[in-house]
Amino acid sequence: MDERAVDDRTRGLEAAHHAAIDFLGSLDERPVWPRASLDEMMSAFGGPLPEEGTDAASVIEEMARRGDPGLVAIPGGRFFGFVIGGTHPAALAADWLVSTWDQNSGSATLTPTTVAMERIAGQWMLDLFGLPESASVGFVTGGQMANFTCLATARNAVLARSGWNLSERGLRLAPAVRFVVGADRHGSIDRAARFLGIGTDELVVIESDDQGRMRPDALEHALDQATGPLIVCLQAGEVHTGAFDDFAALIPIAHEHGAWVHVDGAFGLWAAASPSLRPLTEGMGLADSWATDAHKTLNAPYDCGMAIVRDPADSIAAFRTGGDYLVFTSLDPWDVTPELSRRARGVPAWAAMRSLGRQGIARLIDALHENAIAMASGLASVDGIRILNDVDYTQVMFRLDSDEATRALGEAVLAEGTAALTGAAWRGRAALRCSMSSWATTRDDIDRTVGAIRTLVSG
C-alpha cells in the first residue's frame, strides 16, 4: 500500500481518537439536548462537493468542530429520553475495532472471527434470559427489525402449519393470518405488521389494564372467536410504564389455540438477567420468538438488535437465500435475518458482556431500576407533579395538572439543558417520561435533574 495512504489512515484515526476523547470529556457539563437545528447542520456540512479532496485528519477535525452543536449527550448520565442507553466502555472500543476489521459478517465461512463472537454473544444472552439454548439469534439493527424478523418468521411458520408454502405460492391467495396484539403495544409492532402486509384494520386488539398489561380473560375471549393461522404478540416492558405482560397466564392460552407467540422485549427481556427482577419475566421462555436490543439496556452502541426464534428451522425456512456463489454452513447469520452484507454489530455486545460478566450485568439492570425509583421519589417531592405508573422496572412517567403545563415543562427541560426527557400520551392525557437506560447515570445526575425540574415548575 502507498506510504502516504497508510499515513493518511493513521493520522485520521488519531484525529478521531482526540475528537472522541474531547466529546466524552464534555458530557458532564454540556447541554444534553442539541443546540443547533437540522437546517443549521445542513448549512454547516453542505455546499457543493469540493473539486479536490482533503486529507483524512482534516476531514475528521472539521466534522467534530462543525457537528458539535448538533450532537445530543446520549452517552452521558442525564439523557432520559425515549429508551436509549449510553455506550459501555468495552462496547465502544470494540465498535471501533469492528470498523477497523471491516468484516462482512453475513457468512461464517467468510468471517469466522466475528460470526463466532456473535454466536457466543447470542448463547450468553439465551442463558441470561432463560431461553432455549438451541434458539437462533439474529443480529439486526434494532427492535423494529427484530420484531419484523421474528414476525416474518412467524407468518411463514403459521402458514406452513396450515398447509401453505409461502416461499412457493406467495401471499396473494394465502389464508388470512390473524394478528393479535395488546392495546398498549409499541408502534414498531404495527409497523412490522404493515411491512408484512397486515393493516391496522386487520389487527385483533386485546384490552389492557391500567399499566398496559394485556388482560388474559380478554385474550381468551378473543381467541375463542378466532379461526385460521394465529400470531399473538406480547410485551416485556411497556414503553411508558415498563409493565410486563403476564406470560405465565397468556402464553398457555395462546398455545391452546394453536397460536405462535412473539414477545416484544426491546428493553424488558434484560430483566431476566437480574435475580431480583427476573420474576417480571416468569413464563416468558414459553414463547416462540423474542425481540430485544443490546443498544438499550446492555449499552452497546447503535445499532444492535436481536431476533430470537425458538426453532432455527423456522428462521431458515423464512430467510435462507440462494446464489451459486455463496458458501453455506449449518447456520449462517444470513439464514436468520433479512440481511446478507452487514457489519459485525454483535461484537460490541460480546465485549460488553465479557467486560461486565454475569454479576456485572445483573448489577447494571438493578442499578437502572434503582435509579428509576430514585427519580420517581425525587419527582414526587416536587409540588404539582404526579407519578403515573408503578415503577417496577426502568420507566418513570409523570405529569402536571394540565396537558398544557405538562407539555410546556417538557419543552422547558430541553431548553434548560440539564437533562433530556421526552413527551408521551397516556390514556388521552399528556405526560412526560424518564427512561433509565444508561450505565453512566449516577445519583448526582438524578439529583441535578430533579433540582432543575423543581426550579422550572416553581419558576
Side-chain angles (χ1 to χ4, degrees):
M1 183 180 291
D2 183 89
E3 185 175 324
R4 287 174 298 177
V6 173
D7 184 55
D8 194 38
R9 185 164 61 185
T10 299
R11 288 189 294 108
L13 288 170
E14 289 172 348
H17 176 254
H18 289 305
I21 295 300
D22 287 345
F23 175 69
L24 293 175
S26 76
L27 289 172
D28 192 50
E29 297 304 326
R30 72 183 290 133
V32 177
W33 204 243
R35 286 299 179 260
S37 67
L38 174 61
D39 287 344
E40 289 170 324
M41 288 295 96
M42 291 291 290
S43 296
F45 288 104
L49 179 66
E51 291 295 328
E52 300 295 332
T54 305
D55 67 276
S58 296
V59 169
I60 297 304
E61 290 164 357
E62 176 185 305
M63 222 175 93
R65 183 180 67 256
R66 294 187 181 184
D68 190 75
L71 296 176
V72 186
I74 290 174
R78 296 187 305 283
F79 184 87
F80 306 118
F82 306 101
V83 186
I84 296 178
T87 304
H88 186 273
L92 172 60
D95 199 52
W96 284 12
L97 200 52
V98 165
S99 292
T100 302
W101 286 347
D102 192 26
Q103 304 290 289
N104 184 339
S105 297
S107 165
T109 302
L110 177 63
T111 51
T113 293
T114 57
V115 171
M117 294 176 75
E118 288 193 341
R119 188 169 295 179
I120 295 300
Q123 291 172 1
W124 287 348
M125 288 178 195
L126 294 174
D127 182 40
L128 289 169
F129 300 155
L131 301 182
E133 63 180 13
S134 59
S136 66
V137 181
F139 285 88
V140 292
T141 54
Q144 175 68 77
M145 284 307 296
N147 280 323
F148 168 78
T149 300
C150 290
L151 293 172
T153 304
R155 181 187 63 179
N156 193 79
V158 297
L159 285 173
R161 293 173 191 170
S162 298
W164 188 270
N165 187 318
L166 182 62
S167 297
E168 294 177 357
R169 304 176 70 182
L171 190 60
R172 187 166 60 90
L173 298 176
V177 176
R178 302 282 284 175
F179 192 46
V180 183
V181 300
D184 290 294
R185 65 200 177 277
H186 190 270
S188 65
I189 295 298
D190 291 31
R191 195 163 180 247
R194 186 167 77 245
F195 296 165
L196 296 169
I198 300 170
T200 53
D201 289 348
E202 299 178 274
L203 302 179
V204 179
V205 181
I206 309 300
E207 296 174 28
S208 55
D209 66 15
D210 65 337
Q211 295 295 304
R213 295 176 288 246
M214 185 185 288
R215 288 176 43 199
D217 60 328
L219 176 65
E220 186 153 30
H221 176 74
L223 294 188
D224 284 343
Q225 319 301 316
T227 58
L230 277 170
I231 299 172
V232 174
C233 187
L234 305 180
Q235 187 165 225
E238 203 281 332
V239 72
H240 300 319
T241 68
F244 288 65
D245 281 338
D246 185 351
F247 305 115
L250 292 163
I251 294 177
I253 293 171
H255 280 164
E256 286 169 10
H257 291 81
W260 175 291
V261 179
H262 171 66
V263 176
D264 173 19
F267 64 102
L269 253 63
W270 294 91
S274 160
S276 63
L277 295 171
R278 191 174 299 142
L280 293 170
T281 67
E282 182 181 355
M284 182 179 73
L286 299 171
D288 302 288
S289 62
W290 306 262
T292 191
D293 283 343
H295 58 235
K296 288 185 169 64
T297 314
L298 183 63
N299 286 197
Y302 276 92
D303 49 36
C304 191
M306 286 77 71
I308 305 171
V309 175
R310 175 179 292 277
D311 188 346
D314 289 324
S315 296
I316 291 171
F319 290 110
R320 174 160 281 178
T321 186
D324 56 8
Y325 66 97
L326 299 177
V327 180
F328 293 90
T329 62
S330 58
L331 188 66
D332 281 292
W334 56 33
D335 286 331
V336 297
T337 73
E339 297 172 309
L340 289 178
S341 300
R342 65 171 180 83
R343 69 185 276 107
R345 60 174 60 97
V347 169
W350 178 93
M353 289 188 287
R354 179 64 182 84
S355 179
L356 288 164
R358 182 185 298 273
Q359 295 301 317
I361 294 170
R363 286 192 294 270
L364 169 62
I365 309 304
D366 288 341
L368 299 180
H369 180 223
E370 290 162 5
N371 285 340
I373 292 172
M375 179 67 83
S377 176
L379 290 172
S381 72
V382 177
D383 288 343
I385 284 182
R386 180 163 63 93
I387 305 299
L388 300 177
N389 64 308
D390 298 334
V391 187
D392 293 329
Y393 192 43
T394 58
Q395 306 299 92
V396 181
M397 184 169 54
F398 67 99
R399 61 172 282 114
L400 297 174
D401 289 338
S402 72
D403 288 353
E404 293 76 12
T406 301
R407 294 190 187 102
L409 175 60
E411 294 171 0
V413 169
L414 298 182
E416 192 271 344
T418 296
L421 48 87
T422 46
W426 186 251
R427 302 300 186 250
R429 301 290 303 276
L432 296 171
R433 191 189 67 206
C434 294
S435 177
M436 296 297 154
S437 303
S438 178
W439 69 276
T441 300
T442 65
R443 195 56 54 90
D444 180 64
D445 289 317
I446 294 169
D447 292 342
R448 288 172 65 180
T449 301
V450 171
I453 292 174
R454 189 188 306 276
T455 299
L456 291 169
V457 170
S458 63

